[in-house]
Amino acid sequence: MTNQHPHYGHRQRKKEEFLLRGIEGRPEHEILEFLLFYAIPQKDTNPLAHQLIARFGSLTDVLNAPFEELIQIDGVKENAACLICFLRALSKVYLTNEQKSVIEIRDAQSMFRYCKALFIGAKTEEIHMLFFDDRLNLLGEEKICNGTFDGVSVSMRMLIEAAIRAKSSAVAIVHNHPNSTSMPSKNDLNATAELWKLLTALDIDFVDHVIIAKDGDWSMRHNGTMQFIWNS
């Protein structure tokens, strides 16, 4: 074939290498280079992969980058930017669905793994509610809103309506602190106590309030914070 793409052999070798060994332990730019094969078929994607990581800082930061910023990079067209954003969204769905079958409310670490997936790519605070049956099997989750959990940005009515709508026997609240520590604020504690009283009146168990942050994760149940609320 006289018109064969000059990088065809390189790409084929990379595909065979991936199928044989996976990507674990590979340099981040090589992983991104491989991804870009499927959005940029007629160009060497290695230099662009280096450029993107240099611009945003890491592979994770590239995947978290907004579409509007990605397409500002020379060489990144709509297809490539859309693929990167789609992969971030797909990763979130995959991780949350995978964790549904193994999460146990009695296990803080499995709870954290599930909850972390909810905030992939999140730049602002979000509030989610998890729904459980009477055996504490996870039934699902719902993003309630963006905002801080302080009783102002999110109304108790929104949370209660979500719990009733799901017809769940028990619920947990999870929100993130993208720009601060995982330690609950005074407002977090006050709002948690208020929500517990409202749920108790409806005979819905309030099993935990989890906070996800860059410095770590906090479970009010497993850190003993909920005991103060239950006994108040």
Side-chain angles (χ1 to χ4, degrees):
M1 294 178 61
T2 58
N3 294 323
Q4 189 178 70
H5 188 273
H7 297 289
Y8 173 80
H10 172 71
R11 292 189 174 201
Q12 187 61 31
R13 287 191 297 272
K14 288 293 184 182
K15 291 175 185 177
E16 292 171 356
E17 184 178 297
F18 162 67
L19 292 173
L20 182 64
R21 301 186 179 87
I23 61 173
E24 189 172 353
R26 302 305 302 172
E28 290 192 339
H29 72 272
E30 288 190 11
I31 298 172
L32 185 55
E33 173 193 5
F34 186 90
L35 174 66
L36 292 171
F37 286 171
Y38 298 93
I40 308 175
Q42 301 296 324
K43 184 179 179 180
D44 180 6
T45 58
N46 184 279
L48 181 57
H50 279 284
Q51 182 182 352
L52 283 165
I53 289 175
R55 164 64 178 80
F56 292 103
S58 69
L59 177 59
T60 298
D61 291 326
V62 173
L63 295 177
N64 282 334
F67 177 87
E68 294 76 15
E69 291 186 24
L70 287 167
I71 59 175
Q72 297 301 315
I73 304 298
D74 186 30
V76 177
K77 305 299 182 184
E78 185 176 281
N79 282 351
C82 187
L83 178 63
I84 291 171
C85 293
F86 176 79
L87 182 62
R88 176 175 68 238
L90 178 63
S91 299
K92 182 174 181 177
V93 171
Y94 171 80
L95 289 172
T96 52
N97 286 348
E98 185 180 62
Q99 289 299 325
K100 281 182 182 179
S101 62
V102 300
I103 188 173
E104 297 176 0
I105 191 63
R106 300 171 188 85
D107 182 342
Q109 294 308 312
S110 58
M111 172 70 95
F112 291 151
R113 284 196 298 272
Y114 178 81
C115 291
K116 284 180 179 178
L118 298 175
F119 301 105
I120 292 175
K123 301 294 185 182
T124 59
E125 289 195 29
E126 299 177 2
I127 301 166
H128 294 246
M129 181 174 279
L130 309 186
F131 308 109
F132 301 87
D133 64 17
D134 56 1
R135 295 185 178 182
L136 295 181
N137 296 313
L138 181 65
L139 300 174
E141 65 84 23
E142 179 181 340
K143 178 181 174 182
I144 306 301
C145 65
N146 289 79
T148 58
F149 189 78
D150 58 8
V152 175
S153 297
V154 58
S155 71
M156 291 296 113
R157 179 177 178 178
M158 292 171 64
L159 296 167
I160 294 300
E161 287 180 346
I164 294 173
R165 190 164 56 245
K167 299 180 180 179
S168 53
S169 300
V171 301
I173 290 295
V174 54
H175 80 280
N176 61 329
H177 285 174
N179 301 311
S180 62
T181 70
S182 60
M183 288 291 292
S185 67
K186 183 177 180 180
N187 285 337
D188 288 335
L189 297 175
N190 291 340
T192 301
E194 181 182 354
L195 180 59
W196 171 74
K197 291 176 181 177
L198 293 171
L199 290 169
T200 300
L202 295 171
D203 199 27
I204 298 174
D205 290 335
F206 187 17
V207 294
D208 205 353
H209 182 171
V210 173
I211 300 173
I212 303 296
K214 289 183 178 180
D215 74 328
D217 313 301
W218 184 276
S219 162
M220 291 195 183
R221 180 187 183 92
H222 293 278
N223 285 88
T225 316
M226 293 290 285
Q227 294 295 333
F228 296 102
I229 294 171
W230 290 332
N231 295 329
S232 61

